[in-house]
Amino acid sequence: MPRWDRVRESFFNGERLVDSFPRLLDAFVLDIKIFAWSTPAIIALALVLAITRSSRNPALFPIRIFVIGYIDIMRGVPVILWIYLIGFGVPGVGLERPFNSPLLWGSVALVLTYGAYIAEVFRAGIDSVHESQRAASRSLGLSNSQTMRFVILPQAIRRVVPPLMNDLVSLQKDVALVSLIGPIELLRQAGIDKAKFANFTPYVAAAIIFLMITIPLTRTTDYLLARERKRTSATRVR
Amino acid sequence: MKLELRNVRKSFEERVVLAGINLEVKAGEVVSFIGSSGSGKTTLLRCVNLLEPIDDGAIFLDGDEISSVGRDPNPVRRRIGIVFQSFNLFPHMSVRRNITLALTQVVEKSADEANEIASSLLKRFGLGEKIDAYPDQLSGGQQQRVAIVRALAMSPEVLLLDEITSALDPELVGEVLDVVRELKGSGITMLIATHEMNFAREISDRVCFLASGLVAEQGSPTQIFSNPTDERTKQFLRRVQAVGKT
């Protein structure tokens, strides 16, 4: 491999790595912040969407159609496109500071798209709860919404924790897409360092930093999946 | 009349399950429904509890039409309890919470009152120590007894028992039937769908044989089991006798 030392020089340069790493870690704090404030909003939105979509109240039919359309549209377009459209589009109507911040609208775009993805996860969970549970609850005089709250949702959420974690791992990476409309987070900072020193090592460093978060998250997911499987099946076939 | 069904009809798609049921049940009466699988026993009970909307006819509770379209089913269901073949306990809740949920959410009892009701009913049916167990930790018979207690906790005036022993191992059937025997003494009105002919004979004031979506024959247990007049009843009883169910 005659070119190997050149690759090593531009991608695995120890000096550049040591120099960039602290700056990149600082920038990564912003990724974590975006992740931290988006996640609760995503879960809340997803729950509202899933509950509305699963509702059997005939009066909610128009809203159900709207929710289905919303989910289809948000899931059918790449996340990056929504970040561009919402992140550049909304402040473009002439909002004042701080409401014109790309950081704000980039996060909103993440919430709106991931809300739709995760709504489908919750809906699968709601659908997986057997009809007889609903019958038992309604037969005791609980209303539809009480049945959802006390009987269906607690069982549904428990079942979808593993797939939910999966989507959160994806979210943790997609947070970096917000950088494309301005905010200087990890990926963007790596790009700046790369340009400054004409060296790709900061990208490798960024990859390592992402892995420091996503691998433990993935292992946790695996653990939860295995535990769920063990809990729901009494005997295990080897 | 406690409960009255007038010309109740119910179909699923093309299949007619109830073809015009007429029935009057007095307060405190225990009525059993027998008949082959698919004869409409379960559907009949589910209709009375308003879990299935009926297509035609009317159901009256104390003379009050409960089956009318648009009527809120929840107050009716507080007065008519149902126990299912497959128990349907809430698996994520302890036995205590299974029983107190509707007490606190539907009839707005305080947590203390609800707890008191749950523990005294559980004790009465020999389940006192199981109050903090989860359904998965109980045997089938225990689960079904908890399901009965859960229905009873709402002090229903009518109790519907839908094949409550069909999902149980044979040696667990007895403990569940004992609960029903005890209830008969308490004066509650019961409608029982069952495959246990001996039990139906013993516990019922009246037995109804369902066939083709209608009450084909009804009468006292002695009359139905010893002296059936309808040819279909005779055939049905011969069949269950052949497999040793009576």
Side-chain angles (χ1 to χ4, degrees):
Chain A
M1 287 191 292
R3 313 286 289 259
W4 169 242
D5 19 321
R6 289 173 63 179
V7 171
R8 195 177 54 195
E9 173 57 26
S10 53
F11 284 86
F12 303 99
N13 184 320
E15 199 187 326
R16 288 267 62 82
L17 184 76
V18 171
D19 176 63
S20 285
F21 211 79
R23 250 193 323 278
L24 294 176
L25 268 184
D26 279 349
F28 189 55
V29 172
L30 182 59
D31 291 77
I32 292 180
K33 278 187 186 160
I34 298 174
F35 179 75
W37 67 55
S38 300
T39 302
I42 287 169
I43 303 248
L45 173 66
L47 271 178
V48 170
L49 291 172
I51 291 169
T52 316
R53 188 164 181 182
S54 307
S55 145
R56 298 181 183 184
N57 187 340
L60 290 181
F61 180 73
I63 301 178
R64 236 167 7 246
I65 294 295
F66 172 81
V67 166
I68 291 170
Y70 173 86
I71 292 175
D72 284 353
I73 290 171
M74 295 319 278
R75 296 204 317 158
V77 173
V79 178
I80 176 67
L81 204 44
W82 282 122
I83 291 176
Y84 276 133
L85 288 172
I86 297 172
F88 284 139
V90 177
V93 302
L95 295 174
E96 300 288 321
R97 287 181 66 183
F99 298 109
N100 61 359
S101 135
L103 188 58
L104 169 68
W105 291 104
S107 305
V108 168
L110 279 181
V111 169
L112 295 180
T113 48
Y114 268 83
Y117 286 116
I118 292 179
E120 288 297 274
V121 172
F122 282 136
R123 186 171 72 105
I126 290 170
D127 287 350
S128 78
V129 177
H130 198 267
E131 191 64 22
S132 60
Q133 288 286 306
R134 196 183 292 265
S137 174
R138 298 304 310 276
S139 80
L140 290 165
L142 280 95
S143 68
N144 250 325
S145 53
Q146 287 172 323
T147 297
M148 183 55 87
R149 178 173 155 209
F150 295 111
V151 177
I152 309 291
L153 269 188
Q155 297 187 59
I157 290 174
R158 236 162 273 210
R159 284 179 207 183
V160 300
V161 165
L164 187 66
M165 294 287 288
N166 229 346
D167 278 352
L168 291 182
V169 171
S170 292
L171 171 66
Q172 172 55 36
K173 294 174 295 166
D174 281 354
V175 160
L177 296 175
V178 173
S179 72
L180 296 174
I181 58 171
I184 298 177
E185 51 66 72
L186 174 58
L187 182 62
R188 178 88 163 188
Q189 184 64 51
I192 292 170
D193 280 20
K194 177 219 68 176
K196 191 150 59 174
F197 303 106
N199 188 293
F200 287 100
T201 306
Y203 280 148
V204 175
I208 292 169
I209 291 174
F210 275 117
L211 290 174
M212 279 165 30
I213 293 292
T214 51
I215 289 182
L217 262 180
T218 312
R219 286 290 81 78
T220 312
T221 309
D222 287 350
Y223 166 75
L224 290 172
L225 270 170
R227 200 182 61 173
E228 175 72 11
R229 223 180 1 249
K230 211 160 137 192
R231 203 179 62 80
T232 50
S233 55
T235 54
R236 193 159 161 208
V237 179
R238 279 183 188 278
Chain B
M1 275 313 134
K2 188 73 201 170
L3 194 68
E4 189 179 348
L5 279 70
R6 261 188 229 155
N7 193 31
V8 169
R9 290 171 189 274
K10 176 73 188 176
S11 305
F12 293 103
E13 317 272 302
E14 295 297 292
R15 201 165 58 89
V16 178
V17 182
L18 303 179
I21 298 268
N22 287 294
L23 188 76
E24 294 187 342
V25 181
K26 292 197 287 283
E29 198 178 6
V30 176
V31 181
S32 290
F33 298 90
I34 59 170
S36 4
S37 296
S39 59
K41 305 184 294 286
T42 291
T43 304
L44 178 66
L45 298 190
R46 289 175 69 95
C47 286
V48 171
N49 194 260
L50 309 181
L51 284 172
E52 300 287 354
I54 58 176
D55 299 336
D56 196 13
I59 302 172
F60 299 86
L61 179 64
D62 285 332
D64 181 16
E65 186 178 350
I66 57 174
S67 57
S68 41
V69 182
R71 186 176 167 145
D72 180 7
N74 298 328
V76 176
R77 292 188 179 127
R78 277 172 229 168
R79 303 172 58 196
I80 305 181
I82 186 166
V83 181
F84 301 91
Q85 177 174 353
S86 49
F87 329 141
N88 301 359
L89 293 177
F90 307 130
H92 60 300
M93 294 178 188
S94 65
V95 165
R96 180 199 307 272
R97 183 81 175 127
N98 261 279
I99 298 166
T100 56
L101 177 68
L103 288 171
T104 51
Q105 298 303 325
V106 180
V107 287
E108 288 168 8
K109 298 234 185 264
S110 73
D112 284 347
E113 282 174 288
N115 257 322
E116 187 46 45
I117 292 171
S119 69
S120 71
L121 274 174
L122 286 170
K123 272 187 206 126
R124 178 170 153 204
F125 294 112
L127 291 160
E129 301 104 74
K130 301 295 181 188
I131 190 160
D132 289 313
Y134 280 80
D136 286 349
Q137 300 163 337
L138 303 179
S139 73
Q142 290 168 335
Q143 288 190 50
Q144 191 60 295
R145 279 146 67 202
V146 171
I148 296 173
V149 167
R150 182 174 70 176
L152 284 178
M154 300 295 285
S155 321
E157 300 155 40
V158 178
L159 189 61
L160 312 171
L161 304 176
D162 181 16
E163 313 253 15
I164 56 168
T165 57
S166 299
L168 294 176
D169 291 337
E171 82 268 22
L172 301 176
V173 168
E175 61 183 82
V176 171
L177 294 185
D178 282 342
V179 172
V180 183
R181 287 188 185 100
E182 174 171 352
L183 285 178
K184 182 174 161 81
S186 73
I188 190 170
T189 308
M190 284 193 279
L191 271 59
I192 305 175
T194 186
H195 285 300
E196 302 280 340
M197 296 305 147
N198 282 332
F199 179 66
R201 183 197 284 248
E202 167 204 330
I203 196 122
S204 315
D205 299 314
R206 179 157 43 121
V207 176
C208 296
F209 173 73
L210 295 187
S212 321
L214 291 166
V215 180
E217 184 170 5
Q218 59 177 311
S220 70
T222 332
Q223 191 184 326
I224 295 292
F225 288 111
S226 312
N227 239 329
T229 53
D230 192 287
E231 193 47 43
R232 289 168 298 179
T233 319
K234 289 179 190 169
Q235 277 177 10
F236 172 75
L237 290 174
R238 265 200 299 276
R239 274 203 311 276
V240 292
Q241 236 157 15
V243 295
K245 276 266 186 175
T246 122

